[in-house]
Amino acid sequence: MAVEIGFLGPDVEDDVVGGLVGLVNRVYAASEEGLWRGRVDRTGLDEMAGLVRAGEIAVARVGGRIVGVVRVQRLDGET
């Protein structure tokens, strides 16, 4: 199956945002296992919703299912 990549629009449903939060936190928890004591979440619903509204969240989909997420942030006019 082909991977489709694109930015999310501001009208994305709350359950999609919640799924993104879960995905990001699970991936960081797995990759940083043993580095921190207890659970350290990297993002939450409010932060992720704000990033989606700002047009900074792109997702990868396979068969319509989100399998990856990345933040793309413009720092200035050239960066």
Side-chain angles (χ1 to χ4, degrees):
M1 286 190 173
V3 176
E4 298 173 12
I5 299 173
F7 284 91
L8 292 177
D11 58 342
V12 68
E13 292 104 17
D14 291 342
D15 62 324
V16 172
V17 174
L20 296 174
V21 170
L23 177 60
V24 168
N25 288 333
R26 281 191 311 276
V27 169
Y28 271 104
S31 67
E32 295 177 339
E33 186 174 357
L35 294 177
W36 313 111
R37 287 187 163 170
R39 184 181 168 118
V40 178
D41 285 339
R42 290 305 191 127
T43 192
L45 288 171
D46 290 339
E47 179 181 30
M48 184 63 71
L51 296 172
V52 170
R53 281 192 306 271
E56 296 182 359
I57 298 297
V59 297
R61 289 185 170 104
V62 174
R65 180 174 167 254
I66 294 176
V67 296
V69 58
V70 64
R71 177 183 184 191
V72 180
Q73 180 184 21
R74 181 173 290 281
L75 300 176
D76 59 38
E78 298 175 11
T79 310

